[in-house]
Amino acid sequence: KVQSGLVVAGAAAVGVERWASLCTASLDLAAVSQALIQELSAIELQGDELSFCHNDLQHGNVMMHEASMRYTLIDFEYAGYNPIYYDMANVWCEVPANYTEGISTVGFLQNFAENFPSTALQRLTAAHYLSAKRGSEVGVEIDEVTAFVASCQPWIRASHLFWGLWGVLQARDRRHVTPKEGEFDYAAYAANRLSAFHALM
């Protein structure tokens, strides 16, 4: 039901019936990807809005040294220069992930409809980020926080699309119709992220 050359190739490897059972909506990925690229390309960014980003920042990639209470980020495989709004949007997309349950039938459990950060939590995280960037406390209610949160919104869709396609590629490369017990379900993960993308269209 998800239509593009990439996913058709993925379906051939993973199993057409399984893709059909996982996908709840018809989505022309080539068309929506191009539309999103055009939308994001039209956004004018200032120099300080582009930075070195982790691009996969989630609580599984944060380590804490208990004695010093210092935090270290790990797994910079996808790091590179990006709009700062993408990194924040990606963090929000990772909030619903239940990593404490480990591997599940849908990869890591991610209920975006119920557990995506509220506007209030988005504002709070944006205020903390801007406070650290500025070196002084930024209030949650100021216009700068409002503008920052608004600037993140298109990148939420970009995160869902990127990781959805990543899941498709992982499933295709492993040729998993159904993953073995204890293995990550890349196809289900891809369908979940692409469904979240579709919901925001």
Side-chain angles (χ1 to χ4, degrees), residues 14-35:
V14 176
V16 175
E17 296 82 3
R18 180 125 203 278
W19 277 119
S21 70
L22 290 170
C23 299
T24 58
S26 180
L27 186 64
D28 186 335
L29 281 177
V32 297
S33 298
Q34 186 60 39

Side-chain angles (χ1 to χ4, degrees), residues 4 12 42 48 51 59 62 77 79 138 156:
S4 77
D48 65 346
S51 184
H59 39 295
V62 180
E77 178 182 3
V138 170
I156 294 171

Side-chain angles (χ1 to χ4, degrees), residues 30-53:
V32 297
S33 298
Q34 186 60 39
L36 182 59
I37 289 170
Q38 290 178 350
E39 177 185 347
L40 298 178
S41 298
I43 298 174
E44 295 185 7
L45 298 170
Q46 304 302 315
D48 65 346
E49 295 176 298
L50 292 170
S51 184
F52 183 78
C53 294

